[in-house]
Each structure stands twice: as structure tokens, then as C-alpha cells.
Amino acid sequence: MPKIRTEGVSKRFGRIVALENVDLEVREGEYVAILGPSGCGKTTLIKIIAGIWRPTEGRVLVDGRDTTRTPIEERDLGYVFQNIMLFPHMSVKDNARYGPWVRGFRPEEVEKASREALELVGLLQRQGFLPAELSGGAQQKASLARALANRANLLLLDEPLSALDARVRVELRYTLRRLVKDLGLTAVHVTHDQEEAMSVADRVVVMRKGRIVEVGEPRRLYERPRQLFTANFVGQNNFLEGRVTGVRDGVAAVELRGGLSLILNSDSLKPGEPVVLAIRPEHFALEPGPGTNILTGQVEETRFMGSFTRHRLTLENGEEILVDLPPEESRLKQGEQAKVFFNREKMLVYSRPPEGLREALKLE
Amino acid sequence: MVSLRIEGLRKSFPGVVALEDVSLEVKESDYVVILGPTGAGKTTLLRTIAGLTKQDSGNIYFDGHPVDRLASFDRGVAYLPQNYSLFGHMTVWDNVAFGPTVQDWEMRRRDQIVREMLNLVHLSDRRDAFPRELSGGMQQRVALARALATRARILLLDEPLRALDARLRMELRQELRTLAKDLGITTLHVTHDQEEAISIADQIIVLRRGKVVQVGSPQEVYDTHQDPFVANFVGEANFFEGVLEHSGPRNSVVTLPIRKQVVGRPTDMAQGANVVLGVKTDRCDVKPGHFEAENCFPGVVLRSLFLGKRVTVEVETKVGFLKAKVPSDRAQFASEGVEVTLRFPPDHAIVYPVPVGGLQAALEVE
């Protein structure tokens, strides 16, 4: 039995459709991230799961029971908000005590639960502080402790890291994942940050315009995205439009604009079919290898980016691609003509979307 | 466009020193990013340059001329605060035309600049829209066009991308740089996001607790970090505390408490000094199996965090908990519980004196 199941959940605010027919299952003990751009409906979905909002249609089952009409106070879950919502006049410890107290734990149980929760997030030493005396990251840890102190085994995290500095977010990702797994909780975590989603979750649900686009494990979503939108939203990608010119023995030839030609593996393509090819910037190399394709272009810009060096190339047909190489392997100079190679197995192929490529990739 | 020079800038608020002896130089038309954690003094620095906050002491020069006595309005700066707000009852066009209108520009000149600015931010076809009808990214572009329409000589951006989605930020940060470069305008851009800083800056100024801790190109700041804080803030780093055993022209050797030795870049510190050796996690690698060699640390994988292009592998070793951030197709073997060896090349490891107050305090990012 799944821990959470939404069945045909839709939500409309007046004429605006925030969610449309969402079916989602979260298994017991699973950490699921709901990822998508602003306005995709991810926050609406988690609020409906939490019981803060009711769906216009459909229902929510938690542990097999229909909880669609159960108010949040009666649900057994912990909730962490994007905007830290600690009680400002209460100490960190009293904030952590609040949930167990409201739920009618016995006094010694209230003490024990709050203490354990504070210990888990590493705030026991600072339990007497008021929220305002803590940094943003520590405040969000206190919020997490408050949610954990309920001893609920379902944790809902609504953009829990978005208000924090980039560097602090990276630290807290580790904390979140470790806690959820160590305590054997089921967690649903809403975010617009693809790296955050992939690093914390067992499975990622990609949403757009009120619908689920695709669900998958992080590595699968990154390496084999089934949808063009995912291929662009989860990590960066180069997209090249073309037309299949021939297919033989599982290998297809694709002609790009300007007469450029590439080879790719495919059993299902038909000659004449319009396609979009996707190749990640990090999959290029300066040396040929097995199953190699070649692209030639002028290096417009090279830029050090820390763990890699990014190159912007204009191909012979005028299209631009990004090529990322390890800094120690990067010897391309601005202004020169360069050949870059990539393994055709790394290239993904999609049917050209009826609405056009731009529309299919649009981030807002 | 102007060059900027700041000398000995100091500003305190009751109970807090926001800026402490800040000196820096910005070349004409450079894109400079001021990077630091919340509370570092970044916003105060921008506001002081804009003339919206008065410094306690120190001087600010545009093209060599002091501007300290000039009102904000007369400095020729375009300042985009973190919580900018567009005029909700005005169209995109009127928002952008606001500055020139208030400054009483001649109508033809005003219309021309507004058209130019809207072109620049790709919003010409939305000139009659109201802000609420636009997406977050578009609103950001309108705010930028409005700030630029007064023909400023210097552009000050305070966390311009903070309110936007992560993926969209990656697109817009490139746009910002391109725009500033096309205009040739000298730009200071404040952020807490090191990736953003590295990807767009000509120069990065790392600020912490009101002080400049390092200035340099992205590569200098990334690869030649001047202290453990910079090493860990701009990226992520592993640290080893020990005693400097030897330092020669090619490398230096540090002995760890478990009597193991690690090798790093040369240092001019004296033999026997207590030191910290730092290496970026993405200059570390993991290989399956256990082996001993220079800068090799055998251990067991605690966890692998998949980040897309890269994986952070956390390894429990005899010297503690170490991380390696490696290309994801090279780390598929590194699942939990697997025996691995983490290693790194000596020329990416830097030796520092032990920070006053200890290593942990020196690394705090908040």
C-alpha cells in the first residue's frame, strides 16, 4: 500500500487551473521531490496533500484512508514551510515542544520528543535561543525539528531551502536526506531547483502547467529524460532540429539545418521524420572515440566555470552549442575553428513537438 | 563609463560593523561580482556606492573624482535593489519611461531611450502590458530596463536573480552579462551564489563580515583560494589539519595526527608550523578498491548524492569524512558501503596557517 496516493486531483482558482488530474503515488519510506518552474502547481499539490487546501476534484489517500476532507491539525504529518514560520517569541525548544503538546503527548513525552528532534538537527546547544538570534539556516533547522517532534512518519517540505543562501542550501540538503533516511520517514519535498531535487530524492516528479510531465529516479531523469521539457529543465542541454534521411540496421542518419549530418542509434525512426536531438554540454570531447559524431564550429567564448570550462561554439549552420570540458583538457581558443566529438549513444532523440521547440522548452 | 575606486570604506550601524576598511578598484566596463554570505556587508557596500547610505569614513571615486559629496541622484548610478517593485498601475513602457520623465527629458529623446531599453531586454512586444501580466523573469527585465533608462554610468545590482527559479537564473545571468557588456556599462552585481559569480564575473570580490577576503578572476578565486573560507565557500573543500613537515620549491608535506603525510603546493611557512591543507572536492577523485599512494585515502562510501552532471561521493576514512565531486558517469560504482580510495593531485592542495579561532569558525558560511 502506498503511503500517499492522489487520484485525479484537480484544483481551480476561479478560471485558473492550478492542477489538472494529478495521479501520484509515494511509497512508504520514499523521498520524493516535486520539481517544476514557478506556477507549475507543485505548491498547490503539496498543500492539498497536507490538507491545507482541498482539491476541486479527486481525492487524497494517506495509508489507504481518504483524507481529502481531514483538516491539517488532524493529520499525522510534519510540515516545513518556505518562509520560516517559527513562533518568534518562543525559544527554539518551546517551538519544538509545540507540536507534541498540541497533539496531547504526556509531559515527559513532550520533553523527550522535542529533545530528540533538536538533537537530530544539531540544535540542542542552542535550544534556549529565540529564532531571531539564529542564522537563516539554523532557523530552518529549528523548523525541521518542530516538524520532526510530532513523531509523524510523513514529512512535507515546501521549498524548505529556497530562502537560504546558496552555500547553506548545499549543506542542508545533506542534512535533510540523512535525517529522512535515518528515521525511515516518507518525505515529499517541493522545489524549483533541479540539483536540489536530484540530490535529496529517491524519485523526482517533474511538473509543468498543472500536470505531471514525467516521474523517475534522478539518474534516469538526467541521463534518459523521456520528455524534451525534462531534458532542458533538469540540467542544461543542446538541442538541434533535423530530419531523418535514412535508417539502416538500427542506425539513423539525421540532417540538420544547413546540410550538417549526424548519425544516431534508433530502431523506431522513419525516413523523413522531423526530430530534435539533445546532447549535454559535458558529453563532448576533443578526441574521437567509439560511435563518434563530429561537429565543427567557431569558438565564440571560453569561460572558466570552476569544475569545468564552458565553450560557446557557432556551428557552420549558424546554430550555437555549449561544450563543457574539464579545465585541464580545455585548449580551445576564442576565435578558432574547432572540431568537437561525441558518442552517439549519449545523444537523445525526440519527435519534433507540434507546438515547436521553443514552446516545449519554455521555463516560464 | 567609469572606473571605480574605493578607499578605506567603513560603515557601522548600532551594534554592527557592516563594512570595515574596504578598499577596491573596478576597471571601466568591467563586470564585477561581490560574493559573500548573508550579513557580509554586500548590500551596504552597494548602497554606499549609490549614495543611499553615508559611510562613516573612507572615500569613493568615479574616474578618479570623489563622489562622496554628491547626492545619489547626481552620481549617475542605476541601482536595482533586491526588493525592487515595479509600478503596478503603469504599463511596461511607462515604467521604463519613469526616470527620463521625472528628469524632464525631451519627449523624442525619452521615447528613443525607452524603445532602446525595451529592445535590449527583449520586451518590445510587451510594452503595453502591466507588470502583473508578466512572468517573474520578464518583471525582472522591466526593472532592469527602468534602472538603465536614466543613462547611468555604473550599474549596481543587488541579488538581481534571487527571486527567480534556479533554472531560469542560469539563463538570465548570461543575459545580464551580455547586456552589460553590450552597453559597456561598469557593473557591480551582488550575490551569495558562488556559481552565479563564477559564471558571469570578470572579477570576483569575496566579502565576509565587512571585509574583503579575496579579489581575483573567477579562476584565481576558485583555484588559488587565499584562505579556508574562500576554498569552502566558492565550491566545497576537504581540509586536513596537521604539522608542516617540509616545504620545498615543488611541494610541501604535511603530517597528519594519524602520522600519515599529505602533499600540497609549496608554502613559505616554516617547518613545524601548525597548518591546514585544503583541496576542492571537485579536484578529488574516487577509485574502487583500497590502495595506498601519495594523497590516497582508503575508505567506505557513506552516501552518493547525484547532482546530474556530477555526483558528490561522501567517504568515511581514517582521517574523517571526505567528499569527492566527480563526473557522474565515472562514479556509478560508488554506492553505499563500497570500498573506495579518494585521492587528489598535490598541485590542487593549498597549505594555510591554522586560522585564528580555529578551522570550524573560519569556515562558517552564515
Side-chain angles (χ1 to χ4, degrees):
Chain A
M1 185 170 62
K3 179 76 188 170
I4 302 171
R5 186 186 176 119
T6 72
E7 293 179 347
V9 165
S10 297
K11 179 74 178 174
R12 286 184 286 275
F13 297 98
R15 291 213 317 266
I16 295 166
V17 180
L19 280 181
E20 199 163 350
N21 201 17
V22 170
D23 294 318
L24 173 69
E25 277 194 8
V26 179
R27 295 187 279 267
E28 181 91 47
E30 197 178 23
Y31 196 139
V32 168
I34 302 178
L35 171 70
S38 286
C40 73
K42 55 191 191 298
T43 298
T44 306
L45 181 57
I46 200 171
K47 289 200 160 138
I48 286 175
I49 293 172
I52 297 171
W53 288 344
R54 282 187 191 168
T56 314
E57 276 151 38
R59 56 182 200 151
V60 178
L61 302 168
V62 176
D63 293 322
R65 284 188 308 122
D66 186 343
T67 60
T68 313
R69 305 205 162 259
T70 314
I72 187 167
E73 331 55 280
E74 290 168 28
R75 294 183 181 209
D76 193 20
L77 54 85
Y79 197 94
V80 176
F81 295 86
Q82 172 177 1
N83 298 317
I84 298 156
M85 290 212 195
L86 293 164
F87 301 117
H89 58 291
M90 286 189 200
S91 68
V92 166
K93 177 154 196 187
D94 287 340
N95 268 285
R97 275 175 175 152
Y98 184 78
W101 177 73
V102 168
R103 277 171 172 72
F105 285 30
R106 282 177 294 134
E108 61 273 23
E109 279 300 301
V110 172
E111 280 313 299
K112 190 154 176 275
S114 59
R115 194 183 164 79
E116 277 171 9
L118 289 170
E119 189 164 15
L120 282 167
V121 301
L123 277 180
L124 213 47
Q125 312 301 325
R126 284 181 280 174
Q127 56 175 310
F129 284 42
L130 289 174
E133 295 169 323
L134 300 176
S135 66
Q139 287 184 38
Q140 201 53 309
K141 282 184 182 169
S143 309
L144 186 60
R146 191 174 63 175
L148 293 174
N150 292 337
R151 297 234 174 107
N153 57 14
L154 175 59
L155 183 62
L156 302 181
L157 304 159
D158 184 5
E159 300 262 12
L161 307 178
S162 296
L164 306 172
D165 273 10
R167 192 61 185 76
V168 181
R169 281 202 293 262
V170 173
E171 299 289 321
L172 280 187
R173 279 180 202 164
Y174 298 129
T175 309
L176 279 175
R177 166 107 194 148
R178 177 178 57 79
L179 280 177
V180 167
K181 289 294 157 188
D182 287 357
L183 298 173
L185 307 178
T186 305
V188 180
H189 175 141
V190 163
T191 179
H192 59 79
D193 184 331
Q194 44 102 2
E195 201 181 275
E196 180 178 311
M198 285 192 287
S199 62
V200 295
D202 299 317
R203 275 196 310 153
V204 178
V205 178
V206 181
M207 287 188 67
R208 187 191 191 202
K209 296 180 179 168
R211 293 168 185 269
I212 292 177
V213 173
E214 185 167 3
V215 181
E217 289 171 13
R219 191 178 275 274
R220 207 279 293 155
L221 278 185
Y222 189 80
E223 290 174 356
R224 298 274 148 193
R226 293 189 183 118
Q227 302 296 329
L228 270 171
F229 178 75
T230 313
N232 183 49
F233 193 77
V234 180
Q236 282 180 293
N237 231 322
N238 293 300
F239 295 99
L240 299 166
E241 290 185 82
R243 189 173 289 277
V244 180
T245 51
V247 185
R248 204 173 64 190
D249 303 332
V251 175
V254 172
E255 191 178 282
L256 308 181
R257 262 189 225 124
L260 300 181
S261 176
L262 293 175
I263 300 295
L264 57 102
N265 295 346
S266 169
D267 297 322
S268 55
L269 292 175
K270 311 240 168 343
E273 199 177 333
V275 291
V276 177
L277 307 179
I279 176 85
R280 298 245 182 233
E282 70 268 26
H283 287 152
F284 289 99
L286 296 182
E287 307 294 336
T292 284
N293 273 297
I294 307 176
L295 285 171
T296 313
Q298 166 144 332
V299 183
E300 303 290 345
E301 192 189 5
T302 74
R303 190 160 176 92
F304 175 82
M305 301 278 271
S307 53
F308 60 94
T309 300
R310 169 154 289 181
H311 310 77
R312 197 158 48 81
L313 266 66
T314 304
L315 303 179
E316 291 152 323
N317 66 5
E319 292 186 41
E320 269 193 6
I321 58 167
L322 298 175
V323 172
D324 292 348
L325 299 168
E328 63 275 15
E329 287 172 25
S330 158
R331 46 172 200 269
L332 300 181
K333 299 272 178 300
Q334 199 172 324
E336 76 175 0
Q337 287 290 317
K339 270 196 176 70
V340 290
F341 301 89
F342 64 94
N343 186 335
R344 66 183 185 231
E345 297 203 341
K346 300 277 193 189
M347 189 162 58
L348 299 175
V349 54
Y350 302 90
S351 301
R352 188 182 294 166
E355 73 271 31
L357 181 59
R358 263 180 76 116
E359 194 57 38
L361 301 181
K362 229 174 167 185
L363 297 172
E364 332 182 80
Chain B
M1 300 306 146
V2 296
S3 63
L4 169 74
R5 192 169 87 240
I6 290 177
E7 285 176 0
L9 205 63
R10 197 188 141 82
K11 173 70 191 175
S12 58
F13 297 105
V16 206
V17 179
L19 296 174
E20 205 175 333
D21 194 25
V22 169
S23 297
L24 55 92
E25 278 195 55
V26 175
K27 287 198 297 256
E28 186 184 332
S29 301
D30 249 9
Y31 199 106
V32 171
V33 173
I34 301 168
L35 173 68
T38 295
K42 309 187 293 290
T43 298
T44 305
L45 178 57
L46 272 201
R47 289 182 57 87
T48 312
I49 297 168
L52 298 167
T53 294
K54 180 101 185 77
Q55 68 266 38
D56 301 338
S57 54
N59 299 295
I60 301 172
Y61 304 87
F62 288 2
D63 276 342
H65 304 294
V67 295
D68 308 294
R69 289 169 179 280
L70 291 182
S72 179
F73 186 77
D74 296 322
R75 290 191 188 188
V77 297
Y79 172 58
L80 190 60
Q82 203 178 132
N83 300 312
Y84 67 88
S85 52
L86 296 170
F87 303 117
H89 59 291
M90 288 187 191
T91 62
V92 167
W93 176 278
D94 290 340
N95 264 282
V96 178
F98 183 77
T101 307
V102 170
Q103 291 182 19
D104 228 356
W105 290 17
E106 184 219 329
M107 200 162 64
R108 238 193 24 224
R109 182 166 160 244
R110 184 196 70 193
D111 288 355
Q112 190 195 331
I113 186 114
V114 175
R115 254 196 307 275
E116 260 175 47
M117 289 302 128
L118 287 177
N119 247 334
L120 204 62
V121 298
H122 314 297
L123 281 174
S124 301
D125 53 346
R126 303 304 303 270
R127 52 180 279 183
D128 297 324
F130 287 93
R132 62 171 182 279
E133 298 163 350
L134 302 177
S135 68
M138 288 177 182
Q139 290 183 27
Q140 180 66 43
R141 292 198 194 108
V142 177
L144 190 65
R146 189 179 60 180
L148 288 168
T150 49
R151 278 292 183 222
R153 301 180 296 165
I154 180 164
L155 176 62
L156 306 175
L157 303 167
D158 193 356
E159 302 267 14
L161 305 174
R162 181 147 202 163
L164 304 173
D165 282 1
R167 184 62 183 78
L168 187 62
R169 279 203 292 263
M170 293 165 79
E171 311 278 317
L172 285 189
R173 69 194 187 202
Q174 293 308 328
E175 273 186 32
L176 275 180
R177 180 181 160 87
T178 308
L179 185 87
K181 288 288 168 186
D182 286 351
L183 290 171
I185 192 167
T186 312
T187 305
L188 269 76
H189 170 142
V190 155
T191 183
H192 60 85
D193 185 336
Q194 53 98 6
E195 205 182 283
E196 185 172 306
I198 286 184
S199 57
I200 55 175
D202 294 319
Q203 290 283 309
I204 295 177
I205 296 169
V206 185
L207 206 63
R208 187 188 191 213
R209 296 183 180 159
K211 289 184 188 163
V212 174
V213 281
Q214 186 164 358
V215 178
S217 69
Q219 182 147 19
E220 283 163 350
V221 170
Y222 197 83
D223 278 340
T224 316
H225 20 96
Q226 262 162 26
D227 67 17
F229 173 76
V230 176
N232 192 48
F233 188 73
V234 185
E236 235 183 324
N238 292 311
F239 295 101
F240 304 85
E241 289 186 86
V243 173
L244 187 63
E245 189 68 36
H246 154 86
S247 186
R250 267 174 309 178
N251 62 27
S252 57
V253 179
V254 175
T255 304
L256 306 183
I258 60 159
R259 314 190 83 170
K260 188 181 168 74
Q261 296 192 322
V262 266
V263 185
R265 285 188 205 165
T267 166
D268 49 13
M269 274 179 291
Q271 197 182 330
N274 287 322
V275 294
V276 174
L277 180 139
V279 61
K280 284 262 155 70
T281 57
D282 57 11
R283 303 297 187 212
C284 297
D285 195 11
V286 280
K287 293 273 173 237
H290 279 178
F291 46 92
E292 291 285 349
E294 186 177 85
N295 290 354
C296 281
F297 295 85
V300 175
V301 176
L302 270 181
R303 208 172 292 118
S304 281
L305 289 179
F306 184 76
L307 306 169
K309 168 186 243 184
R310 299 195 155 240
V311 181
T312 299
V313 183
E314 305 178 10
V315 186
E316 184 77 61
T317 72
K318 273 190 201 152
V319 294
F321 177 71
L322 301 175
K323 291 181 190 173
K325 202 171 173 187
V326 296
S328 47
D329 47 0
R330 292 221 311 256
Q332 267 148 326
F333 63 88
S335 44
E336 201 178 311
V338 170
E339 290 191 347
V340 295
T341 299
L342 181 144
R343 60 179 190 181
F344 54 88
D347 57 341
H348 282 301
I350 299 186
V351 180
Y352 318 99
V354 174
V356 180
L359 180 61
Q360 281 319 309
L363 297 181
E364 275 171 15
V365 291
E366 293 195 285

